[in-house]
mmCIF file of all heavy atoms in Angstrom:
data_model
loop_
_atom_site.group_PDB
_atom_site.id
_atom_site.type_symbol
_atom_site.label_atom_id
_atom_site.label_comp_id
_atom_site.label_asym_id
_atom_site.label_seq_id
_atom_site.Cartn_x
_atom_site.Cartn_y
_atom_site.Cartn_z
ATOM 1 N N ALA A 444 209.631 31.771 175.435
ATOM 2 C CA ALA A 444 210.294 32.382 174.268
ATOM 3 C C ALA A 444 210.665 33.779 174.485
ATOM 4 O O ALA A 444 211.753 34.279 174.080
ATOM 5 C CB ALA A 444 209.409 32.242 173.019
ATOM 6 N N ASP A 445 209.831 34.489 175.187
ATOM 7 C CA ASP A 445 210.141 35.887 175.553
ATOM 8 C C ASP A 445 211.299 35.993 176.496
ATOM 9 O O ASP A 445 211.986 37.102 176.528
ATOM 10 C CB ASP A 445 208.902 36.529 176.259
ATOM 11 C CG ASP A 445 207.720 36.713 175.215
ATOM 12 O OD1 ASP A 445 208.074 36.801 173.974
ATOM 13 O OD2 ASP A 445 206.619 36.806 175.659
ATOM 14 N N LYS A 446 211.629 34.934 177.285
ATOM 15 C CA LYS A 446 212.792 35.038 178.172
ATOM 16 C C LYS A 446 214.161 34.787 177.489
ATOM 17 O O LYS A 446 215.186 35.020 178.069
ATOM 18 C CB LYS A 446 212.597 34.016 179.309
ATOM 19 C CG LYS A 446 211.361 34.332 180.222
ATOM 20 C CD LYS A 446 211.187 33.316 181.267
ATOM 21 C CE LYS A 446 210.055 33.622 182.166
ATOM 22 N NZ LYS A 446 209.715 32.578 183.262
ATOM 23 N N LEU A 447 214.049 34.335 176.211
ATOM 24 C CA LEU A 447 215.323 34.016 175.534
ATOM 25 C C LEU A 447 216.063 35.358 175.246
ATOM 26 O O LEU A 447 215.400 36.324 175.056
ATOM 27 C CB LEU A 447 215.015 33.295 174.285
ATOM 28 C CG LEU A 447 214.598 31.884 174.420
ATOM 29 C CD1 LEU A 447 214.227 31.199 172.967
ATOM 30 C CD2 LEU A 447 215.658 30.945 174.945
ATOM 31 N N PRO A 448 217.379 35.259 175.102
ATOM 32 C CA PRO A 448 218.164 36.445 174.615
ATOM 33 C C PRO A 448 217.682 36.816 173.283
ATOM 34 O O PRO A 448 217.024 35.970 172.441
ATOM 35 C CB PRO A 448 219.544 35.961 174.601
ATOM 36 C CG PRO A 448 219.572 34.864 175.532
ATOM 37 C CD PRO A 448 218.171 34.165 175.408
ATOM 38 N N VAL A 449 217.784 38.155 172.868
ATOM 39 C CA VAL A 449 217.391 38.667 171.539
ATOM 40 C C VAL A 449 217.951 37.791 170.473
ATOM 41 O O VAL A 449 217.174 37.568 169.493
ATOM 42 C CB VAL A 449 217.735 40.163 171.468
ATOM 43 C CG1 VAL A 449 217.356 40.632 170.048
ATOM 44 C CG2 VAL A 449 216.983 40.935 172.575
ATOM 45 N N THR A 450 219.150 37.466 170.500
ATOM 46 C CA THR A 450 219.725 36.690 169.452
ATOM 47 C C THR A 450 219.176 35.356 169.270
ATOM 48 O O THR A 450 219.029 34.809 168.104
ATOM 49 C CB THR A 450 221.314 36.478 169.695
ATOM 50 O OG1 THR A 450 221.451 35.925 171.106
ATOM 51 C CG2 THR A 450 222.009 37.852 169.717
ATOM 52 N N ASP A 451 218.669 34.733 170.320
ATOM 53 C CA ASP A 451 218.062 33.368 170.204
ATOM 54 C C ASP A 451 216.537 33.542 169.860
ATOM 55 O O ASP A 451 215.942 32.718 169.162
ATOM 56 C CB ASP A 451 218.140 32.570 171.516
ATOM 57 C CG ASP A 451 219.623 32.223 171.680
ATOM 58 O OD1 ASP A 451 220.387 31.888 170.762
ATOM 59 O OD2 ASP A 451 220.077 32.221 172.924
ATOM 60 N N ASN A 452 215.859 34.613 170.432
ATOM 61 C CA ASN A 452 214.481 34.784 170.174
ATOM 62 C C ASN A 452 214.138 35.207 168.869
ATOM 63 O O ASN A 452 212.955 35.050 168.431
ATOM 64 C CB ASN A 452 214.012 35.879 171.243
ATOM 65 C CG ASN A 452 212.452 35.802 171.475
ATOM 66 O OD1 ASN A 452 211.763 34.945 171.002
ATOM 67 N ND2 ASN A 452 211.942 36.759 172.210
ATOM 68 N N SER A 453 215.097 35.654 168.004
ATOM 69 C CA SER A 453 214.806 36.033 166.613
ATOM 70 C C SER A 453 215.143 35.000 165.617
ATOM 71 O O SER A 453 215.082 35.203 164.466
ATOM 72 C CB SER A 453 215.446 37.338 166.444
ATOM 73 O OG SER A 453 216.925 37.134 166.555
ATOM 74 N N THR A 454 215.537 33.793 166.133
ATOM 75 C CA THR A 454 215.963 32.727 165.128
ATOM 76 C C THR A 454 214.765 32.194 164.385
ATOM 77 O O THR A 454 213.599 32.435 164.751
ATOM 78 C CB THR A 454 216.529 31.555 165.880
ATOM 79 O OG1 THR A 454 215.596 30.961 166.827
ATOM 80 C CG2 THR A 454 217.830 31.901 166.653
ATOM 81 N N GLN A 455 215.056 31.514 163.268
ATOM 82 C CA GLN A 455 213.902 31.141 162.330
ATOM 83 C C GLN A 455 213.116 30.003 163.139
ATOM 84 O O GLN A 455 211.840 29.998 162.911
ATOM 85 C CB GLN A 455 214.506 30.470 161.176
ATOM 86 C CG GLN A 455 213.444 30.002 160.126
ATOM 87 C CD GLN A 455 214.146 29.515 158.783
ATOM 88 O OE1 GLN A 455 215.296 29.546 158.707
ATOM 89 N NE2 GLN A 455 213.272 29.101 157.863
ATOM 90 N N ALA A 456 213.773 29.201 163.933
ATOM 91 C CA ALA A 456 212.945 28.115 164.712
ATOM 92 C C ALA A 456 211.941 28.794 165.634
ATOM 93 O O ALA A 456 210.806 28.349 165.717
ATOM 94 C CB ALA A 456 213.950 27.257 165.434
ATOM 95 N N ILE A 457 212.309 29.870 166.418
ATOM 96 C CA ILE A 457 211.392 30.582 167.266
ATOM 97 C C ILE A 457 210.299 31.304 166.506
ATOM 98 O O ILE A 457 209.138 31.196 166.880
ATOM 99 C CB ILE A 457 212.163 31.419 168.275
ATOM 100 C CG1 ILE A 457 213.019 30.680 169.265
ATOM 101 C CG2 ILE A 457 211.180 32.328 168.929
ATOM 102 C CD1 ILE A 457 212.261 29.928 170.198
ATOM 103 N N THR A 458 210.739 31.870 165.344
ATOM 104 C CA THR A 458 209.764 32.509 164.491
ATOM 105 C C THR A 458 208.686 31.455 164.027
ATOM 106 O O THR A 458 207.469 31.793 163.960
ATOM 107 C CB THR A 458 210.394 33.115 163.351
ATOM 108 O OG1 THR A 458 211.372 34.137 163.830
ATOM 109 C CG2 THR A 458 209.399 33.812 162.458
ATOM 110 N N GLY A 459 209.191 30.305 163.747
ATOM 111 C CA GLY A 459 208.327 29.164 163.307
ATOM 112 C C GLY A 459 207.265 28.764 164.316
ATOM 113 O O GLY A 459 206.147 28.563 164.058
ATOM 114 N N VAL A 460 207.832 28.634 165.652
ATOM 115 C CA VAL A 460 206.867 28.335 166.620
ATOM 116 C C VAL A 460 205.845 29.391 166.956
ATOM 117 O O VAL A 460 204.686 29.063 167.091
ATOM 118 C CB VAL A 460 207.717 28.081 167.956
ATOM 119 C CG1 VAL A 460 206.782 27.893 169.213
ATOM 120 C CG2 VAL A 460 208.649 26.881 167.822
ATOM 121 N N ARG A 461 206.245 30.592 166.892
ATOM 122 C CA ARG A 461 205.308 31.737 166.945
ATOM 123 C C ARG A 461 204.253 31.728 165.935
ATOM 124 O O ARG A 461 203.071 31.973 166.175
ATOM 125 C CB ARG A 461 205.987 33.083 167.046
ATOM 126 C CG ARG A 461 206.883 33.327 168.276
ATOM 127 C CD ARG A 461 207.545 34.684 168.226
ATOM 128 N NE ARG A 461 208.401 34.845 169.332
ATOM 129 C CZ ARG A 461 208.035 35.371 170.595
ATOM 130 N NH1 ARG A 461 206.719 35.530 170.781
ATOM 131 N NH2 ARG A 461 208.870 35.504 171.614
ATOM 132 N N ALA A 462 204.722 31.387 164.700
ATOM 133 C CA ALA A 462 203.675 31.264 163.635
ATOM 134 C C ALA A 462 202.813 30.132 163.842
ATOM 135 O O ALA A 462 201.529 30.266 163.570
ATOM 136 C CB ALA A 462 204.476 31.001 162.287
ATOM 137 N N LEU A 463 203.235 29.019 164.325
ATOM 138 C CA LEU A 463 202.393 27.837 164.626
ATOM 139 C C LEU A 463 201.311 28.198 165.700
ATOM 140 O O LEU A 463 200.080 27.797 165.500
ATOM 141 C CB LEU A 463 203.215 26.609 165.019
ATOM 142 C CG LEU A 463 204.001 25.865 163.990
ATOM 143 C CD1 LEU A 463 204.835 24.921 164.677
ATOM 144 C CD2 LEU A 463 203.035 25.241 163.051
ATOM 145 N N ILE A 464 201.746 28.869 166.658
ATOM 146 C CA ILE A 464 200.819 29.276 167.713
ATOM 147 C C ILE A 464 199.750 30.352 167.167
ATOM 148 O O ILE A 464 198.593 30.262 167.454
ATOM 149 C CB ILE A 464 201.594 29.901 168.895
ATOM 150 C CG1 ILE A 464 202.423 28.785 169.601
ATOM 151 C CG2 ILE A 464 200.673 30.494 169.963
ATOM 152 C CD1 ILE A 464 203.335 29.133 170.684
ATOM 153 N N GLY A 465 200.349 31.255 166.236
ATOM 154 C CA GLY A 465 199.383 32.201 165.732
ATOM 155 C C GLY A 465 198.330 31.560 164.921
ATOM 156 O O GLY A 465 197.283 32.051 164.819
ATOM 157 N N ARG A 466 198.687 30.589 164.049
ATOM 158 C CA ARG A 466 197.717 29.873 163.287
ATOM 159 C C ARG A 466 196.615 29.112 164.095
ATOM 160 O O ARG A 466 195.545 28.775 163.540
ATOM 161 C CB ARG A 466 198.397 28.900 162.365
ATOM 162 C CG ARG A 466 199.198 29.580 161.138
ATOM 163 C CD ARG A 466 199.361 28.518 160.023
ATOM 164 N NE ARG A 466 200.266 27.558 160.395
ATOM 165 C CZ ARG A 466 201.633 27.745 160.097
ATOM 166 N NH1 ARG A 466 202.067 28.818 159.567
ATOM 167 N NH2 ARG A 466 202.409 26.779 160.363
#
Side-chain angles (χ1 to χ4, degrees):
D445 290 338
K446 294 178 182 178
L447 288 174
V449 175
T450 52
D451 295 322
N452 198 4
S453 59
T454 61
Q455 185 175 358
I457 289 294
T458 303
V460 172
R461 291 182 182 276
L463 286 172
I464 293 173
R466 283 201 289 268

